[in-house]
Amino acid sequence: MGTLGFLLETQIPTATSNMNKASLSNQIIPILLFLDGALCAAAGIFAYQLGIDPNTDWGASRYILLFAGIILILISAFFLKKPTLVFNVESAKTLFLITHIWGFIFITYAWFITYGNFSTWNHTTHYYTQLADGFNNGQLYLERKPNRALIETADLNDPNSRPTFDREIWDLSLYKEKFYLYWGPIPALIIAPLQLLLARSITDIYLVYFFAIGLLIFNTLIILKLQRAFFPKLPAWNLFICIPLIGFIAPIPWSLNIPQVYEAAIGAGQFFLMGGIYFSLLAFGKTPSHKTHLFLAGLCWACSVGSRAINVFSVIFCVLLICYWIASESTKPLNLKKYIWDISAPFIPLIFGALAIGWYNWARFDSPFEFGLRYQITIFNLNKHLDWIFQADYFFLNLYHYLFQPFEFISQFPFIKPIINTNFPETYFYIAGPVTGLLFSAPFLIFTLGLFLSKNKGHSTYYYFFISLLVGSFFINFVTLLYYFFSQTRFLVDVISQVALLAILGYWQFITVLSNKRHIAFKLFTYLANILLMISIFIGLLLSFSSETNRMETLNPMLFEKINSFFTIP
């Protein structure tokens, strides 16, 4: 497992050994091995019916799956009768369970993104692929050339005057007869050496998948660290169920069903933003703060802005909060020279990143602050009306869409779908996509109030520092979205991790406080909280089926019809 295994192990030992109620059954590993075997065997036997294998005949892979499944079942049966000492070690049981939860979520992600067959990673965009090719050729622009008619048109954004063009140049930025990407370059920098090494194109679908699983890993590590530090007696169920919640909460599965450049850029930005928050959490879990972790936090945040420029405001807030925290924890009177040295670790990659992004923009568009948005080929003339992109007029429309807009019930699977609101003045420079408000798509988020309605006096200032990181980054990104001219479900990826983690902390805080109160009240609350948690998972998965492009139904209609028939009552 390498680095990932080490990161997990650093979270696990006290995350379980210190909690009297959270110990796992000694049979958890054999049981999970049995489930592994059963799933492998079922995948081999029913590969055709599940859409994994398009052939009815058995091939070598199906025999291997069946054989592996039988072996795992036999091993689990042996250890159920003769448990070993290793199976009694709490950290081993926890590691085994977490990796299985991850495995299940990773497979589900792959199932969604490949529209149910695991093998066809297509029907995506190639924007970052082209930019990576450009980088490998020593240039910042794409190899694709605009045709002369497109260059000479009077208004690129006038549908009546501009010539027809290839769909692949939609949303590209055209400047001085060259095509550029206005999305951040970090994902392209990641895949550029891989494309050279593998001698093949890495399309945007792989980036969407990679950043989704990376985000899940960072969020899981944050959950484990928080439980270890602040809720050591939390029951095991209340800890581990939060991992599938953070993985399946809307709009994460939704984005996997639209694996395009937009989702890749947003996913990269959130992956690096939460990575920075994780490393800052590690840094301040020690005294004095660990400069390596602060450096990694700054590096992640620089990459976050380099993937999704809108995250710059959240990153500035996080860095200022770190500076304040270091100052508040330093001995008084404050030694300015030592203080500057202490805060230098995150600033080194951030300053370098800011200079690199400024140079990147200047080299392309003759301005360090121009990302290419005004030169974008889209439905509006952004070069003429750039000031219309962020307006106060959009605030309450977006607030309704992102928080309070319900979903619509339908008679067939998936039984719910998002609504497109068109009830706003036509004069608005505004577009509304299919969106379900967070209070309907993830009702579990109501437990964010638990941070304010329940009191736990045992928490240190370190706990409130981390809550401030989450609240600040959520609030800044969310308010920015509220002023934007376009409401889309995918934009909620910018904020969902922060608010979901806050809700998890509120959920744990309620449980901790009520566990010392009346037994009936504690049981009722626990049942209600767990029901809302499971509902949030199911809604997140169901809404993803009816995503913006109906990917599953369009590209794999036979499988979708099988699912619909299974859930349809005659």
Side-chain angles (χ1 to χ4, degrees):
M1 298 231 348
T3 303
L4 180 57
F6 171 76
L7 287 173
L8 259 178
E9 288 169 7
T10 61
Q11 310 303 321
I12 287 171
T14 51
T16 52
S17 58
N18 284 346
M19 42 179 159
N20 299 327
K21 298 182 181 179
S23 60
L24 295 166
S25 168
N26 292 336
Q27 295 183 335
I28 187 67
I29 294 180
I31 290 172
L32 290 173
L33 285 173
F34 175 82
L35 292 175
D36 292 341
L39 288 173
C40 284
I45 295 171
F46 301 106
Y48 175 72
Q49 290 82 351
L50 293 172
I52 300 173
D53 189 347
N55 303 311
T56 55
D57 296 334
W58 278 62
S61 58
R62 293 179 69 175
Y63 283 110
I64 291 172
L65 279 173
L66 178 60
F67 179 74
I70 293 172
I71 293 298
L72 287 172
I73 291 172
L74 292 175
I75 291 173
S76 70
F78 174 79
F79 284 120
L80 278 171
K81 289 185 176 180
K82 296 182 178 181
T84 66
L85 187 61
V86 175
F87 293 173
N88 298 334
V89 177
E90 207 64 41
S91 59
K93 293 186 290 183
T94 304
L95 180 61
F96 210 74
L97 178 57
I98 290 173
T99 52
H100 273 73
I101 296 173
W102 278 356
F104 173 74
I105 297 174
F106 294 169
I107 291 170
T108 305
Y109 283 178
W111 186 78
F112 269 115
I113 211 167
T114 59
Y115 44 94
N117 58 37
F118 296 105
S119 58
T120 49
W121 293 69
N122 56 17
H123 291 278
T124 182
T125 53
H126 303 77
Y127 289 92
Y128 276 124
T129 309
Q130 297 177 73
L131 184 58
D133 287 337
F135 289 162
N136 287 332
N137 292 329
Q139 60 199 33
L140 304 180
Y141 54 86
L142 309 188
E143 287 291 339
R144 180 185 296 272
K145 304 291 184 183
N147 60 52
R148 182 54 50 184
L150 189 63
I151 294 172
E152 295 176 351
T153 186
D155 187 351
L156 283 172
N157 302 111
D158 183 358
N160 298 318
S161 65
R162 70 186 176 197
T164 57
F165 54 83
D166 189 341
R167 175 69 183 174
E168 280 291 313
I169 73 168
W170 183 258
D171 276 351
L172 290 179
S173 298
L174 178 58
Y175 184 71
K176 291 185 177 180
E177 302 186 9
K178 291 183 174 63
F179 284 127
Y180 299 93
L181 263 62
Y182 77 91
W183 301 283
I186 294 297
L189 288 172
I190 293 172
I191 65 173
L194 294 176
Q195 292 193 161
L196 277 180
L197 182 65
L198 300 175
R200 58 163 294 181
S201 296
I202 299 175
T203 55
D204 297 332
I205 190 172
Y206 294 102
L207 289 168
V208 174
Y209 183 75
F210 169 79
F211 289 121
I213 64 175
L215 180 61
L216 172 67
I217 290 171
F218 270 136
N219 283 334
T220 301
L221 294 176
I222 290 173
I223 287 172
L224 292 172
K225 177 67 176 178
L226 292 173
Q227 183 277 325
R228 172 186 178 183
F230 307 116
F231 298 92
K233 294 184 179 180
L234 187 77
W237 160 264
N238 302 118
L239 168 64
F240 295 112
I241 191 59
C242 292
I243 300 174
L245 171 72
I246 205 79
F248 290 136
I249 195 169
I252 301 299
W254 173 284
S255 295
L256 290 161
N257 251 347
I258 319 172
Q260 299 178 354
V261 64
Y262 315 97
E263 288 71 26
I266 294 170
Q270 185 70 356
F271 164 75
F272 287 116
L273 181 64
M274 297 309 298
I277 289 176
Y278 169 67
F279 286 118
S280 65
L281 181 63
L282 291 185
F284 293 108
K286 302 176 181 180
T287 304
S289 58
H290 201 293
K291 287 187 173 60
T292 301
H293 289 143
L294 285 177
F295 177 85
L296 291 173
L299 180 61
C300 282
W301 286 334
C303 291
S304 179
V305 177
S307 304
R308 178 95 165 126
I310 200 175
N311 288 342
V312 65
F313 305 111
S314 288
V315 167
I316 291 172
F317 167 81
C318 291
V319 173
L320 291 177
L321 186 62
I322 283 177
C323 292
Y324 169 78
W325 174 264
I326 293 176
S328 65
E329 294 297 305
S330 299
T331 56
K332 304 298 185 291
L334 184 66
N335 185 324
L336 186 59
K337 184 178 180 181
K338 183 179 182 303
Y339 174 68
I340 293 174
W341 172 251
D342 288 340
I343 67 173
S344 63
F347 275 99
I348 292 172
L350 285 168
I351 292 172
F352 177 81
L355 292 174
I357 292 171
W359 171 84
Y360 178 67
N361 289 338
W362 175 80
R364 298 182 303 157
F365 304 115
D366 302 314
S367 169
F369 304 107
E370 178 56 57
F371 288 83
L373 193 63
R374 70 168 63 242
Y375 305 115
Q376 184 184 351
I377 301 174
T378 186
I379 56 177
F380 297 121
N381 190 337
L382 298 181
N383 195 21
K384 182 178 179 181
H385 301 296
L386 191 64
D387 57 325
W388 289 3
I389 293 179
F390 291 95
Q391 289 285 332
D393 290 344
Y394 314 141
F395 184 91
F396 290 106
L397 271 172
N398 283 324
L399 184 67
Y400 170 75
H401 291 159
Y402 289 137
L403 286 184
F404 304 109
Q405 182 160 276
F407 48 71
E408 176 185 359
F409 287 99
I410 55 178
S411 59
Q412 293 184 322
F413 183 84
F415 309 114
I416 56 175
K417 70 175 184 178
I419 295 172
I420 301 177
N421 179 28
T422 57
N423 188 24
F424 51 85
E426 294 183 3
T427 55
Y428 274 18
F429 183 74
Y430 183 81
I431 305 174
V435 176
T436 299
L438 289 174
L439 294 179
F440 287 88
S441 64
F444 178 82
L445 297 181
I446 195 70
F447 288 106
T448 304
L449 297 175
L451 295 172
F452 310 100
L453 299 181
S454 61
K455 300 294 182 181
N456 192 328
K457 298 179 181 179
H459 292 320
S460 64
T461 54
Y462 170 47
Y463 175 73
Y464 296 104
F465 160 76
F466 182 74
I467 286 180
S468 299
L469 274 179
L470 293 179
V471 170
S473 59
F474 165 77
F475 180 79
I476 291 169
N477 274 8
F478 189 63
V479 170
T480 304
L481 294 180
L482 296 184
Y483 284 96
Y484 194 54
F485 79 104
F486 195 7
S487 68
Q488 275 283 11
T489 296
R490 63 172 174 259
F491 295 148
L492 288 173
V493 174
D494 288 324
V495 298
I496 193 60
S497 293
Q498 299 94 309
V499 70
L501 288 170
L502 288 169
I504 288 170
L505 288 174
Y507 166 62
W508 289 352
Q509 191 154 304
F510 264 130
I511 289 173
T512 303
V513 172
L514 290 178
S515 62
N516 300 321
K517 305 289 183 180
R518 293 171 298 178
H519 185 64
I520 295 178
F522 172 69
K523 273 195 168 183
L524 287 175
F525 170 80
T526 303
Y527 287 144
L528 174 62
N530 291 335
I531 288 171
L532 285 179
L533 189 151
M534 298 303 297
I535 288 174
S536 297
I537 291 175
F538 287 126
I539 291 177
L541 292 171
L542 290 176
L543 284 174
S544 64
F545 280 96
S546 55
S547 63
E548 188 175 346
T549 58
N550 292 313
R551 181 178 177 86
M552 183 78 70
E553 183 177 7
T554 302
L555 300 178
N556 197 344
M558 291 182 62
L559 175 61
F560 191 85
E561 182 56 36
K562 288 180 181 178
I563 297 172
N564 183 49
S565 299
F566 179 81
F567 286 105
T568 301
I569 300 175

